[in-house]
Amino acid sequence: MRYRTLGDSGIEVSEISLGSWLTYGSGVERDQTEACTKAAFDAGITLFDTSNIYGQGTAEAAWGEVLPGSRARAMCSRPRSSSR
């Protein structure tokens, strides 16, 4: 896996991310969510894309259950609203 630094933050993340749009928490069961997330970690993925609107917040809730033991190794990103 290749990694990049996020701007001037000094935080290094994988070039590939795992997204949760219309999947985790609504279309994909928890055991499958956990298996996919573990496979992503095993592949070196450390960037996870989610939003509080994905699955009406269920995607974030699902990763909230799956990621707690991995927070030191993971970075979650959220899209920024253009209305802000």
Side-chain angles (χ1 to χ4, degrees):
M1 181 62 60
R2 292 175 18 187
Y3 298 89
R4 294 185 182 192
T5 303
L6 288 177
D8 295 331
S9 70
I11 298 170
E12 191 174 80
V13 296
S14 56
E15 288 186 348
I16 298 173
S17 69
L18 179 63
S20 63
W21 182 64
L22 294 178
T23 55
Y24 303 125
S26 60
V28 175
E29 298 298 325
R30 189 193 186 287
D31 60 332
Q32 294 169 320
T33 299
E34 191 167 357
C36 287
T37 303
K38 182 183 180 324
F41 274 124
D42 290 347
I45 293 174
T46 59
L47 181 61
F48 296 84
D49 175 53
T50 191
S51 174
N52 62 346
I53 62 169
Y54 295 171
Q56 298 177 345
T58 58
E60 280 190 331
W63 269 345
E65 294 174 8
V66 172
L67 290 173
S70 307
R71 286 187 179 154
R73 299 186 311 153
M75 165 65 74
C76 290
S77 66
R78 294 178 68 186
R80 193 176 110 168
S81 172
S82 59
S83 62
R84 289 187 197 186

